[in-house]
Structure formats: C-alpha cells, structure tokens
Amino acid sequence: ALGVAAAFAVVVLSTRPTTDDAETRVHRLLVAPIALVLSVVAGLLAGGITDWWLIEPVAYPVGALIGSAAAFWLYRRLSTTLALSFGAVVTAGVLALAVTALVLQISGVSPFHAFSRMLEFGLQPDSLVIMVNSGTTFYLSAVAVAIGFKMKLFNIGVDGQYRLAALMAAAVGGYWVLPPVIHQIVVLAVAVTVGGVWAGIAGYLKMARGVSEVISTIMLNSVATGITAYLLNTDRLAVQISTNNIGTPEIPESGWIPGIPAGFMGADRDIFGLVVMAVAVGVGYWLMLNRTRFGFDLRATGESPTAARASGIDIKRMVLLSMVISGMIAGLVGMPQLLGQSHYYALDFPTGIGFTGIAIALLGRNHPVGIAFAALFWAFLDQSSQILDFEGIPKEIAVVTQATIVLTVVVVYEVVHRWGLRYQQQQVGRELARGEREEAAAS
C-alpha cells in the first residue's frame, strides 16, 4: 500500500490526465482520490494472491508493481462519470455497513466483534474456495437476469428455468453413458436448450399477446416447480439416494467436470472447473453488447422502443430472442454444482439462486465486471456469516447487509445518474459557449 501510494504521488507530479474533462474542477476533486483508493486495493489484492505462490519478499513487490501500473493507468484514463460510479459503490457499501452495525448495536452485539469474526472466517482458504464456487453460480444467474434488464425485460423466471434445466440435464447425464467430453457437452446442451425453451415461452407470450413477462415468468416458476416435483419421483426419473432423499441417477464419471485444485492456497476443496465457463459467459456477454449488431439493437430497444422501431429494429423479434438467450444462460446456473460436486439432481439441490441473481444484477449495474464483484461479495457474506452461529450472533445479519446494500446502491446510483446527466449537460454547454466565443473572436 505504501509503495503504491508513493508511486501514485510520482504519477500525479509527472503526468496529466488524458480524459476530455480533465481540466474541470469536479474531475480534479473526485478522480484523484478514487484512483488512489482503487490502485491501492489493486496492489493489495495482487500481493495477497501472489503470496499463495511466492514468498512474501517477492509477492509484496509484485503487488506494489501491479498497483503502481494501475495508478498510472487510472489517473490518466479514469473519467469523471466512471469515478462517480465507483464512488457510488463505496458510498453504498459504507451506508450498508453502518446500518448493519446499528442493527447489531441495538441487538446488544459488538459490531466490531461480529465484523472481525466474519472477516477472519471468510478469508480462510476453504471459505475462499466456497465463495468462488458460490459466486460462479450467482454470476451466471445475474448475467441471465442482466440480459433481460438491458431490454427492460424482467426475467423473474431464472429460478424455474435453471431448476428444470438442471433436472433434465441430470436425468440425461445419469441415464446415458457416453464417452468423456461428448458426455459433458450433451449435458450442457440439454441444460441450455431446456432453459432457452422455458424462457422462450414467456418471450412468445410477450411478443404475440403482450403478456407481461413479470407475470408469465412468475407463473412459469410455479409450473416448473410442479413439473420438477412430478418427474422427481421413483416411478419416473428418480431413484432412492438415501432414506430421506431421492434424485436422478448419479452421472457417470465420464460426465463430470474436474475441479481446479486449490492446494496452492491451503484449501482442501477444489474450485469448480466450470468457473472457466462463467468467465467465458461474461466475456461473451460483453462482446455481444458492445461489439455486435444484435447487442446494439438490444440496448437501443431497451433505451427507447419507439426510436428502435423507427430505425427498423423488429421489436417483437428482439423480445423473443432476448428472453431465449436469457433462459439459455439461466440453464447453465446449476451446471457447476451438478457436474462439479453433486453429480445428480435431488431434493436438496440448491434453490433460490435465480432470485439472488436479480439482486446481484442490480448491484453490479448489469455490467459483466460489476456483476462479478457483486457475486463474489454476496458469496463472501453468505459464507462468512456461517461463523456467527458459533458466536451466538444471528447469521441473518448478513441478509440485512445484503438487502441494505442493494437498496442503497439503487438509490445512490440514481442520485449519481441524475447528477451525471446535469454534469454532462453543463459540459456540453461550456463547449458550445467556448465554440461561440472562438467564432466571435475569429470573425
């Protein structure tokens, strides 16, 4: 941290920002402190991660070097608008922690003790692995929701889509014995197909009959629950697993996806192998939105359906395709758990991840990187709160933090968004006034 701070001071003295609004007062007051905080955090994270492989005298200079490079880049390239976004996240986090601390204090619990125990337990190697594994499923769920959000569509049915997809994929994988790689591809293809078809029903109803996707996806969640309960029966797709549990036949080892050993960080667990798939989904999501015609049409339709229709975009087609793609990603939500750990779909298969994805998409502002940090943060709170039961502290305090930070992020971002619009209008006004003065002087 000291090395990055010193490097940042050198950067400030030796270079200048290159953004268009670098000379404004707001930029000078806002960007420098936020860039400093972000670069120090980047250096600390880099040093902590490399410390798993390298000795401390080597890991810490590596962290300082990476943080210094981040300081140089951030100070020169960080715009006022983006700095405001980071500031909003920090503000929301501080407010959420303050509200949680207040609730703990009223309950007669020391906030410092609760937070320190959560931090200590949450940063243990096994806890970090669980956090990454949970964050992987949260991330896929949030991306599925975010695709709909970009079109101003509220896909509330991710929960039903991924559970039905996981059941069918587990059944196919358990009853069919195929060669490795082919087996895994077939299971993933079934999950993607089922999720896309199930979400496509809501998209078709919206396109053909104007049915609200909120209502249809909520109802389809209930239908999916009923179908799952019907099929998960020993007379149909299920077998007896234990005295109190039934599930699909176990997927043969040829269908498993090996985990990534985490022994380098002292953990006894493996990281889900499909974390790589989650990264690929995030990259694909960004490329689709920002580098394809379809992504442009999707964003344009979400911003103004009327303008999009006037420009020749088929709104109904975009609604259907957006819902289908959202459902296809939703179908992958249960795959890291299914192919990486449980290997069958049973009564105790994780539920509720679809609704968690809605909160994480809001928290990450539908951006692939923002969603990744939000998913890891959410998973950290889930895991670190487990220690509170042993301390006599209700672990539901983590839920208070999660709910509060989502609310505060929504509110703070709205305030920042409105202020940002006024700021941009002022910048345009200044540019126009300067252009008029230059024309007057030239004439």
Side-chain angles (χ1 to χ4, degrees), residues 263-334:
F264 62 89
M265 53 188 289
D268 297 325
R269 299 169 176 266
D270 288 347
I271 299 171
F272 286 155
L274 284 181
V275 68
V276 178
M277 181 190 70
V279 174
V281 167
V283 173
Y285 170 61
W286 184 87
L287 291 174
M288 181 192 73
L289 286 180
N290 299 284
R291 293 292 185 270
T292 67
R293 169 66 186 273
F294 177 81
F296 175 81
D297 290 348
L298 187 147
R299 289 183 287 114
T301 306
E303 290 295 330
S304 175
T306 304
R309 186 180 292 108
S311 65
I313 298 174
D314 188 340
I315 304 298
K316 291 184 177 181
R317 174 178 171 272
M318 292 300 301
V319 168
L320 179 60
L321 288 178
S322 298
M323 287 299 295
V324 169
I325 294 173
S326 176
M328 291 170 68
I329 302 299
L332 294 173
V333 171

Side-chain angles (χ1 to χ4, degrees), residues 225-284:
T225 301
I227 293 175
T228 302
Y230 176 79
L231 294 177
L232 200 62
N233 187 290
T234 52
D235 295 330
R236 298 178 184 89
L237 297 181
V239 296
Q240 197 74 35
I241 295 176
S242 62
T243 304
N244 298 317
N245 199 13
I246 59 173
T248 58
E250 185 177 23
I251 298 174
E253 196 166 346
S254 60
W256 299 1
I257 293 183
I260 302 171
F264 62 89
M265 53 188 289
D268 297 325
R269 299 169 176 266
D270 288 347
I271 299 171
F272 286 155
L274 284 181
V275 68
V276 178
M277 181 190 70
V279 174
V281 167
V283 173

Side-chain angles (χ1 to χ4, degrees), residues 178-185 253-256:
L178 299 169
V181 180
I182 296 177
H183 200 162
Q184 298 153 354
I185 291 174
E253 196 166 346
S254 60
W256 299 1

Side-chain angles (χ1 to χ4, degrees), residues 95-312:
L95 289 174
L97 289 176
V99 170
T100 307
L102 179 62
V103 172
L104 285 169
Q105 194 67 49
I106 294 174
S107 304
V109 178
S110 169
F112 178 79
H113 174 68
F115 291 153
S116 62
R117 291 295 290 134
M118 289 177 66
L119 193 63
E120 178 185 353
F121 181 72
L123 293 179
Q124 291 181 2
D126 282 342
S127 293
L128 290 174
V129 171
I130 294 173
M131 180 184 76
V132 172
N133 290 342
S134 299
T136 299
T137 58
F138 291 161
Y139 184 78
L140 291 170
S141 176
V143 169
V145 174
I147 290 173
F149 280 167
K150 284 293 184 180
M151 267 279 294
K152 298 298 188 289
L153 295 173
F154 293 88
N155 183 6
I156 313 297
V158 170
D159 205 69
Q161 291 153 20
Y162 94 80
R163 285 189 288 114
L164 190 59
L167 170 63
M168 300 307 297
V172 170
Y175 281 105
W176 287 5
V177 180
L178 299 169
V181 180
I182 296 177
H183 200 162
Q184 298 153 354
I185 291 174
V186 167
V187 172
L188 291 173
V190 170
V192 168
T193 302
V194 172
V197 169
W198 201 248
I201 297 173
Y204 176 78
L205 292 173
K206 174 83 171 181
M207 176 189 73
R209 299 296 180 184
V211 178
S212 169
E213 75 282 359
V214 176
I215 302 299
S216 60
T217 50
I218 289 175
M219 298 304 294
L220 284 168
N221 277 342
S222 299
V223 176
T225 301
I227 293 175
T228 302
Y230 176 79
L231 294 177
L232 200 62
N233 187 290
T234 52
D235 295 330
R236 298 178 184 89
L237 297 181
V239 296
Q240 197 74 35
I241 295 176
S242 62
T243 304
N244 298 317
N245 199 13
I246 59 173
T248 58
E250 185 177 23
I251 298 174
E253 196 166 346
S254 60
W256 299 1
I257 293 183
I260 302 171
F264 62 89
M265 53 188 289
D268 297 325
R269 299 169 176 266
D270 288 347
I271 299 171
F272 286 155
L274 284 181
V275 68
V276 178
M277 181 190 70
V279 174
V281 167
V283 173
Y285 170 61
W286 184 87
L287 291 174
M288 181 192 73
L289 286 180
N290 299 284
R291 293 292 185 270
T292 67
R293 169 66 186 273
F294 177 81
F296 175 81
D297 290 348
L298 187 147
R299 289 183 287 114
T301 306
E303 290 295 330
S304 175
T306 304
R309 186 180 292 108
S311 65

